[in-house]
Amino acid sequence: MAEIPQKRAPAPLTWLTQNLGQKVIYVILLAGAVWALFPFLWMVMSSLKSYAEASAAESFFPTRWLFSNYIDAWNQVGYFPQYFMNTIFIATATVAGVLITSTLAAYAFARMEFPGREVLFISLLATMMVPFEVTLIPNFILVRNLKWADQYQALIIPWTASAFSVFLLRQFFVSIPSDLYDAAVIDGCSDLRFLSSIILPLSRPALITSGLFTFLASWNSLMWPLLVTNRPEMRPIQVGLASFIGDAGTQIQLLLAAVTISVIPVIILYLILQRWFIEGIATVGIRG
Amino acid sequence: MQTRHRARRRIQWSAYFYILPAFIIIGIFHIFPVFYAVYVSLNKGAINRFTFVGLEQYARALSSNDFWNSLITTFVYALLTMPVTMTLALFFAYLLYQPFVKARGIFRGIYFLPYVVSTVGSAIVWAWIFDPRSGLANFILTRLGLPALRWLIEPDGVGLLIAQGLHLTIPTWLNGPSLALVAISIFSIWQSTGYDIVIFLAGLTTIPSELYEAARIDGANGFQLFRHITLPLLAPTTFFVIVISVIGSLQSFNHIFAMNQAASQSLGGPLGSTSTLTVYMFDQLYTYSNYGYSAAIAIILSLIILAFTLFNFKVLGKRSRY
């Protein structure tokens, strides 16, 4: 019995052994965070090194911080500013399209009575089950025949409606109390006005979630833009990055600087809207 | 009261105008193409000059070595990535879920970050880490006194490489997946674990905490809590993660395309050892303009996905209800 207090006596050891389990868990969680973040840190550090230093992989931090690499990447690597602007334009237009078409359709499915409502809604949901590989080839042929190849339409129009967004918004609209609707109808409010002045302001979370997912999908899309763009100046950023890997192969620090620039808008958006990203995915996960 | 009721029940023909824009786009670009894809798969030749050949393209696929190799690679890739990703995700979600953990949101945000960043962007970074001459991976290996590896350009199986390192001879069926495919799998696991963590974490929060308290009073230890409360009650979430992971990994393309490109390999990687079914389909379409043939592969792939999804719902779906 006398030994126990003796063992507990030295202060540093108490700090270590107290809640040892909790400390081990924190260490594991931190290791996981390092594993998730390290490639990004390595990317940023390598993008600030000279070519010789970057390809030696010997130190983590650059000996000289060459911020000029970013200016060089922007100016020298392919049509980089053009890729960047293309992607911003394409992603923004796609998000606008999706939000307009989905809001209207979701409102009709949530609030209006019309023949075939159930069948149409179910067939809409069924399109989510179709793998993109199947629609890829017909859409490619269609876009070729419409003479849309190398045009912005090809990169935007096919993606301006989303069954997933209609579903997400419809679920949200249904949860808005119908008393509001009844009151508005008595006041002589039209459906379109009710939608724009009451439903939309109340639905900000659902609109942000579906806009965010659309933006991300558009910004990161690869296979479709690969197929429908040939002229370098029409390419969005992912295709641009993939294509100048070869050109910049000898200048890895510039390539990594270009990647960093391409990642920044997404990371900023993520930091601001993290809550909606994660809640959106969690909701879909639980519902599924 | 009367008018209000009638106003709600009356058929609103204007509804069709509301759904029209969405249905035009989805009809043209997502529903019609399904039928058109079947039509294309029954033809051969260039666009607008198709010749009907019946099921010839399907027969061609089923008798092609490249097709079968890609199918096997698809499943191997799924087996390399799915179990590791899901186990890691459940492990980290469970640790994060422990009540004493502070800064849970920050950890979750960091774990999710790789999923947000584009595959092409992070593939370039990972290909740089795996670079045979100046990459970090080989730098670490050589510092540890191990031989440098060729990573993304290595067509040899990992089993064979280990055996060679130990100066053993092994039968060819033990060669295993190519190191290039394993390296791509590491990248894929890194990218998708955070997504699964978020879903598992959401599932864990639906388990009532009274259950844990009751079991703890009954003297259950940590592992027993996990085994007899967490796992069974988390089954619907696990089921959802399995379904979407199977669908996702059968369709895997972006990781492989981007890593092949970033390592200056042709599509499909060293000796085609990283060519999954979608990569094979895309190659047939993009490089060879074999429209009918690649449409047939796409249809076969979607039937495989459908079969797996139905199987999951039939077998796992029943067990996951509590």
Side-chain angles (χ1 to χ4, degrees), chain B:
Chain B
M1 199 66 195
Q2 195 72 40
T3 40
R4 183 176 129 188
H5 230 82
R6 229 187 294 142
R8 291 202 58 191
R9 284 286 152 86
R10 207 183 52 207
I11 290 176
Q12 290 162 285
W13 297 103
S14 61
Y16 293 110
F17 288 104
Y18 284 75
I19 64 169
L20 195 62
F23 268 83
I24 288 176
I25 299 292
I26 288 175
I28 294 176
F29 294 102
H30 300 273
I31 298 175
F32 164 72
V34 177
F35 301 99
Y36 194 55
V38 176
Y39 168 75
V40 175
S41 76
L42 301 174
N43 284 278
K44 67 173 187 186
I47 294 179
N48 300 335
R49 286 210 301 277
F50 285 141
T51 347
F52 186 79
V53 290
L55 294 172
E56 196 185 293
Q57 304 284 17
Y58 292 89
R60 187 175 149 201
L62 297 178
S63 59
S64 149
N65 275 337
D66 288 342
F67 171 83
W68 287 106
N69 285 338
S70 300
L71 187 62
I72 292 167
T73 305
T74 308
F75 285 114
V76 171
Y77 182 68
L79 286 176
L80 281 172
T81 51
M82 263 183 57
V84 183
T85 309
M86 286 186 58
T87 312
L88 274 178
L90 182 56
F91 177 71
F92 276 99
Y94 192 63
L95 292 189
L96 264 190
Y97 176 67
Q98 297 308 307
F100 67 85
V101 172
K102 293 190 187 79
R104 188 175 297 149
I106 294 175
F107 278 116
R108 190 179 62 173
I110 292 174
Y111 295 155
F112 190 66
L113 189 64
Y115 186 79
V116 178
V117 169
S118 78
T119 305
V120 178
S122 41
I124 290 172
V125 179
W126 276 93
W128 173 236
I129 289 174
F130 284 133
D131 190 82
R133 254 176 304 157
S134 32
L136 182 66
N138 273 350
F139 178 76
I140 294 170
L141 282 185
T142 46
R143 276 292 157 97
L144 295 172
L146 294 165
L149 296 170
R150 298 202 294 158
W151 297 107
L152 293 167
I153 56 172
E154 177 61 84
D156 280 346
V158 277
L160 183 66
L161 291 172
I162 294 170
Q164 279 170 352
L166 302 170
H167 304 288
L168 297 170
T169 349
I170 51 163
T172 41
W173 58 269
L174 273 176
N175 283 355
S178 74
L179 181 62
L181 192 66
V182 172
I184 296 173
S185 304
I186 294 173
F187 164 52
S188 164
I189 291 165
W190 170 80
Q191 199 193 39
S192 39
T193 306
Y195 182 86
D196 289 1
I197 289 178
V198 168
I199 296 178
F200 275 129
L201 210 51
L204 285 169
T205 53
T206 62
I207 300 175
S209 58
E210 295 84 29
L211 288 175
Y212 289 106
E213 281 152 27
R216 230 177 251 126
I217 291 167
D218 289 345
N221 64 29
F223 179 74
Q224 285 170 328
L225 291 179
F226 180 76
R227 172 70 191 80
H228 296 288
I229 295 179
T230 313
L231 269 190
L233 291 182
L234 200 60
T237 309
T238 315
F239 171 65
F240 173 75
V241 175
I242 290 177
V243 170
I244 58 161
S245 312
V246 168
I247 295 175
S249 51
L250 289 179
Q251 292 180 284
S252 44
F253 172 82
N254 284 8
H255 295 83
I256 294 165
F257 176 88
M259 286 292 249
N260 288 164
Q261 193 90 1
S264 309
Q265 294 288 300
S266 56
L267 192 54
L271 300 181
S273 68
T274 68
S275 172
T276 58
L277 216 46
T278 305
V279 171
Y280 181 54
M281 182 214 79
F282 185 78
D283 199 29
Q284 289 296 322
L285 174 68
Y286 190 64
T287 317
Y288 302 100
S289 300
N290 288 332
Y291 300 101
Y293 186 52
S294 54
I297 298 167
I299 303 277
I300 296 174
L301 177 67
S302 62
L303 292 178
I304 295 173
I305 292 172
L306 186 68
F308 266 90
T309 311
L310 290 179
F311 171 84
N312 278 337
F313 271 92
K314 267 248 148 73
V315 178
L316 297 175
K318 264 184 208 144
R319 282 194 214 157
S320 73
R321 275 183 212 113
Y322 54 91

